[in-house]
Structure formats: C-alpha cells, structure tokens
Amino acid sequence: MVVFAIAILLTSSLAVMFVFARQTVRGEALQNAEQTLAGTLQHIDNILLSVEQSAGNIYWDVLPHVNEPEKMEDYCRRLVQCNPYIVGCAIAFTPHYYADHDLFMTYVRRRGKSMMTTDKSDLVTTSTFGHRPYTEQAWFAEPIKKQRAIWSDPMKNEEVEGEALTTFSLPIFSREGKCVGVLAADVALSLLSQIVMAAKPSPNGYTTLLGRNGSYLVHPDTNKLLHETVYTQLEKGVGASVREAAEAMMAGKTGYKRFQLDGKDCYVFYKPFTRYEVPGRSMEKLGWSVGVVYPEDDIFGDYNKLLYYVLAIAIIGLLLFYVLCRSITHRQLLPLRMLTKSAQHIAEGNYNEMIPTTTREDEIGQLQRHFHQMQQALAAHVGELKQLTTVLKERSEVLQKVIKRTQEADRMKLTFLHNMTNQMIKPANAISESVETLCHMASKSASEKEDTTDVTEQAEEEVKTINAESKVITDLLNHLLDASDSEKGKGVRYGK
C-alpha cells in the first residue's frame, strides 16, 4: 500500500512536471525556430546582397563602355571570378543595338561544379543561354519591361543547362536613358542550398526557401531544386497536413504547423522572406517564403529520452523500494513469527520451550520480553501443577491401596460373618430342638402324669445340650466381638 501510494504520488508529480516541461520545450523550440529563421533570412539575404553589390560594381564599370561589345566578356569574367556565389554572368543587349549584330550576348560560366576559381581556363564563354532566344527568357524580358533590378524566379529543366539557377538582373541604360540591355548574375540553387544547409538548424532538420511560383530555391534534395515545385508535390497526393503547411508558406504567412513527411512527424516554422534595407538597393517584394523543418524527435527527442529515463528510474526505484520495504518488514516481523510459533507450541503443551531474550527497545522487543516473562511464569505454574499432580497421584495410589485393603477386609469380614453365622446355625437349631423337646415334655407330663424321674433325666439331658450349644454360640459371639475390637483398633491406628 505504501509503494502504491508513492507510485500514485510520483506518477502525478511526474505527469505535472512533464506537462510543464513539454510546454517549456515547445516554447524553447518556437524561440529557437524564430532565431533560426532570422539567422537563415540574414544568411540568405547576405548572399543575395553580396551578389547584388558585386553585380552593381561591375554594372557601373560597364555603363561607360556599353558601345564596346568586345569588352563585355572581360566584365563577365571579372564578375564571376570576384564573387564565389555567382556561377555565371551574362551581358545581353536588345535586338539591333549593335549595327553589325541582330542579337548580342556574352555569357561566362564556371566549368563543371559550382565553385570559386581564379583560373581563366575554368571559365566557359558562350553567346547563348538555354534553348530559347534570350529575348524570350524571363531574366532578360522582365527587367527590360519593368526597367528596374529584379530577382527572377528559378530557372529549371529545359530553361537551363545542367543545374537550377536564380538570376539577379540589372537593366542597362544608354546615355539617353533608354533601356538597351541587361547584366545578369546567376546563382546556383544547389550552391545556395549547400551554403544555407551548412548551418543545420538541428541534427535532422533543414531549411527550405520557396519562390513566388512555388519553386524550391533552397532544399537538401537537389532533385527538387532542378525538377520539382511545391505544386508538383501537391499533385502527387501528399497528406493534408503537408498541403496546409505549403499553402500557408505560399500565402506569405508567419507561424508553424505540424505535418507528416515520409511517415515521420515534423514541424515547419515559416515566415516571408524579407530583405534588409540598404541605401540604393531595390526593395521590391520577392514573394519568397523561408521555412525551417524540424523532425519532432529533434525537438522532443531529448525530452522523450528524459521521460523514458525518468520512468525507468522511477519504476526501478519503486521496485527497489518495494523489495526494501518487504525485506525490512519481513525482518521486523521475524520476532512476531517466532512468538507465533512459540505460542502454538505452548498451546500444544510444550510449556518448557524457552523463548529467546532480546535487546530490542521497540514495541516488538517489549512484547517479546513480556512474552518471555509470561512463558517463564506459565512454566513455573505448570511445574507446580505437575508437582501437585505427582503428590495427588501418590496419595491416590495410597488411597487406592487402602481402599483395596478395606474392600478385602470387608469381604473377609463378610465371609467371617457368614462362617460364624453358619457355625451358629447348628447350635441354634439344636437349642431350638431342645427347647421344643422340653416344652413338649412339660406339656406331656402335665397331661399324662407320667413318671417324673424319666422326665427329669431327659430334661437334664436337654438342658445340658442347650448349655453346651449355648456355650458354643457364646464362644462364637465372643470371638466375633474380639475380631470387631481388633478392626476398631486398626481404624484408630489408620486415623479412621
């Protein structure tokens, strides 16, 4: 019951503690996500600003020489070489700007992987880009139309040659103020993703940046950078939670949502991509949205591990506490079990079984000492009873012997009396017959007046007979009286 009560108390305490701990962890996750989002925004914006400033520096060098097409390649090379984020640079002019060229374009790009290089042999120069005329491509048409610097939506698939790009375009104006061309700096999305992903928000988390058309500008999956958009993902039938998160990001909202991706629970924290104001910088809204994706294990992994550890420790602790309580209780109750067995043995008649003494000062020790004293008193009382029983038994045996002798004496007396009585019968009968004879003789003598001499002689004979028989009876009675006096003396001698 104690362990059960402690388990309830511990479970309640842990439940309350972990509820508040989970809220705290969630709050910290929100704060960390906000800081990560802010850091990611600043990191991406620094890259974009670096590209914009590098392109702007070259742009001001190009303006005085817009009528010198042979120098355009050198400016493109300088821009690619001076900025590690730029993988290609194009300078293109409107049709027939140069009298001897219908279309003029110089495009310098890095050879192979996107990396910074100072070796001119690692740069490739071409006069075309993509599979369509450059005048039909967004990076050229949009700044000409809007006559301001723009960041174009990512170019993918057939629009590019090998890797997805996003382009910063600056319209080139002639001395007359007419827009005559475009200077474009390409940034590889894979390179941008590598730079951003280098600062991982969590062990398994990642950052994603969506363009206004749903294209991925930053993502760890390079296949999504080159071929897919958010809309193609939605068309594949992703879960409702993923759709809600994607639609919220595309709508330019700020917040977070929970969703399932590849069977794992994740959180995405998102906000619109905003650029910092810098003097002379074009501050049009790009319509991009940045999101930080955290697997739930990255947020609550340590919390869940702590929960499991605490539960395991609590269960082990309760088991140890139960074993300890049971062991202590068993040890404390050993004297009671001993007293119980001793009481059972005493109840069975083993009064001399000794109960050991104890030095314990608690209630059990006092009970054991009192029980020991009671057992000693009971043993002494039983000893006295046994002694009295022995005395009574001895006296009973003596009494039995006396009774037996008495009964034997009574039997002998009865036999003696019967014998004496039997001995008296013959003399008594003889006396009776003599008396009857005398009476008969007396009555006959009176009636017949016979000779008295014969009668007298006969009477004397009868009288002698009576005297003799009377003497026999008297002797027998004297002998009986003597025997009675003898028995009376014995009774006085035995205290009767």
Side-chain angles (χ1 to χ4, degrees):
M1 291 178 64
V2 171
V3 174
F4 181 70
I6 292 178
I8 293 177
L9 179 61
L10 183 62
T11 303
S12 303
S13 302
L14 290 177
V16 173
M17 181 183 70
F18 278 105
V19 166
F20 284 100
R22 189 175 182 86
Q23 294 177 354
T24 303
V25 171
R26 186 187 297 274
E28 291 180 354
L30 289 173
Q31 184 177 1
N32 292 336
E34 182 65 27
Q35 294 176 353
T36 303
L37 282 173
T40 302
L41 287 173
Q42 185 175 2
H43 194 177
I44 296 174
D45 190 51
N46 288 339
I47 295 174
L48 300 185
L49 182 60
S50 172
V51 172
E52 293 175 10
Q53 290 178 338
S54 297
N57 293 334
I58 297 296
Y59 174 81
W60 293 110
D61 291 339
V62 169
L63 285 182
H65 305 282
V66 292
N67 294 325
E68 304 175 22
E70 65 279 2
K71 294 184 177 181
M72 297 301 113
E73 180 180 350
D74 292 335
Y75 291 126
C76 289
R77 287 180 175 271
R78 285 170 52 189
L79 181 58
V80 173
Q81 290 176 340
C82 73
N83 194 305
Y85 305 129
I86 299 175
V87 296
C89 175
I91 298 178
F93 290 90
T94 57
H96 307 293
Y97 179 72
Y98 294 116
D100 54 347
H101 296 284
D102 292 337
L103 296 175
F104 180 85
M105 171 182 174
T106 298
Y107 181 58
V108 177
R109 62 178 176 85
R110 302 183 192 276
R111 187 193 304 271
K113 295 182 179 180
S114 302
M115 62 178 69
M116 184 176 180
T117 181
T118 57
D119 191 348
K120 293 183 178 180
S121 63
D122 291 332
L123 299 179
V124 178
T125 303
T126 63
S127 60
T128 60
F129 178 80
H131 303 287
R132 294 183 299 164
Y134 67 83
T135 55
E136 298 178 6
Q137 298 180 24
W139 65 268
F140 182 85
E142 288 294 324
I144 292 292
K145 179 180 179 181
K146 297 180 179 179
Q147 296 192 3
R148 58 179 174 82
I150 64 168
W151 278 95
S152 62
D153 290 331
M155 294 179 289
K156 301 182 178 183
N157 300 325
E158 72 280 352
E159 295 180 345
V160 295
E161 299 176 356
E163 61 181 347
L165 302 172
T166 185
T167 303
F168 177 67
S169 302
L170 285 169
I172 300 175
F173 294 92
S174 64
R175 291 186 179 90
E176 293 79 16
K178 182 179 179 181
C179 186
V180 295
V182 172
L183 185 151
D186 294 334
V187 177
L189 298 186
S190 59
L191 178 61
L192 186 62
S193 294
Q194 291 175 9
I195 295 171
V196 175
M197 291 299 169
K200 292 177 67 66
S202 70
N204 300 299
Y206 61 89
T207 302
T208 182
L209 180 65
L210 300 181
R212 66 171 64 91
N213 62 352
S215 297
Y216 292 101
L217 283 80
V218 173
H219 199 278
D221 188 352
T222 56
N223 187 56
K224 287 184 171 59
L225 296 176
L226 185 59
H227 300 293
E228 296 184 4
T229 66
V230 171
Y231 300 108
T232 60
Q233 288 290 104
L234 296 179
E235 291 173 358
K236 292 181 180 180
V238 295
S241 57
V242 177
R243 180 181 295 274
E244 291 177 1
E247 290 176 350
M249 291 184 66
M250 293 303 300
K253 296 181 179 179
T254 301
Y256 73 95
K257 286 188 179 295
R258 182 180 181 182
F259 67 98
Q260 281 194 339
L261 184 63
D262 298 331
K264 295 182 179 180
D265 292 331
C266 301
Y267 284 86
V268 57
F269 300 85
Y270 49 85
K271 65 185 303 183
F273 178 80
T274 55
R275 297 186 294 169
Y276 292 94
E277 293 186 9
V278 177
R281 187 180 192 186
S282 175
M283 296 302 299
E284 76 280 1
K285 291 184 179 181
L286 301 180
W288 297 354
S289 179
V290 63
V292 179
V293 178
Y294 289 96
E296 190 174 32
D297 290 340
D298 286 6
I299 299 177
F300 298 107
D302 293 338
Y303 167 84
N304 293 331
K305 289 180 180 178
L306 177 63
L307 176 62
Y308 298 147
Y309 290 152
V310 171
L311 288 178
I313 292 172
I315 292 173
I316 294 174
L318 287 174
L319 290 176
L320 292 177
F321 182 69
Y322 172 77
V323 172
L324 181 62
C325 287
R326 189 173 181 84
S327 176
I328 293 176
T329 304
H330 177 76
R331 183 177 179 182
Q332 294 293 327
L333 292 180
L334 284 178
L336 290 179
R337 293 190 177 92
M338 183 270 296
L339 293 177
T340 302
K341 292 181 180 179
S342 299
Q344 182 66 29
H345 290 168
I346 292 174
E348 293 174 356
N350 302 315
Y351 302 107
N352 292 326
E353 180 176 345
M354 294 302 298
I355 297 176
T357 57
T358 182
T359 58
R360 297 175 58 139
E361 298 297 332
D362 56 3
E363 289 79 2
I364 296 179
Q366 296 176 10
L367 177 61
Q368 186 171 348
R369 284 193 290 271
H370 293 163
F371 206 90
H372 179 75
Q373 295 173 0
M374 182 190 71
Q375 189 271 338
Q376 289 180 334
L378 183 60
H381 182 65
V382 170
E384 293 176 358
L385 289 178
K386 286 184 177 181
Q387 185 177 1
L388 291 175
T389 302
T390 302
V391 173
L392 289 176
K393 185 177 181 181
E394 292 176 355
R395 292 184 178 181
S396 176
E397 291 176 355
V398 173
L399 183 59
Q400 290 292 334
K401 292 179 181 179
V402 172
I403 293 174
K404 187 175 182 180
R405 286 199 299 267
T406 303
Q407 290 176 348
E408 183 66 23
D410 290 340
R411 187 183 61 79
M412 292 176 63
K413 288 178 184 179
L414 185 60
T415 303
F416 177 73
L417 288 176
H418 286 170
N419 187 25
M420 294 295 290
T421 304
N422 291 332
Q423 292 180 15
M424 289 181 185
I425 291 175
K426 184 177 180 181
N429 289 334
I431 292 173
S432 179
E433 289 178 357
S434 297
V435 172
E436 288 181 357
T437 302
L438 288 175
C439 290
H440 180 70
M441 290 175 61
S443 61
K444 185 178 179 181
S445 174
S447 61
E448 295 181 358
K449 297 182 181 182
E450 296 180 353
D451 186 6
T452 61
T453 302
D454 295 334
V455 174
T456 301
E457 292 177 357
Q458 187 177 1
E460 288 178 357
E461 290 295 330
E462 293 298 333
V463 170
K464 289 180 180 180
T465 300
I466 291 172
N467 288 332
E469 297 299 333
S470 296
K471 186 175 183 309
V472 172
I473 292 174
T474 301
D475 291 338
L476 291 173
L477 289 175
N478 287 331
H479 185 65
L480 182 61
L481 290 174
D482 291 338
S484 176
D485 292 337
S486 178
E487 290 297 326
K488 184 176 181 181
K490 291 180 180 179
V492 173
R493 185 167 62 249
Y494 286 112
K496 299 294 184 177

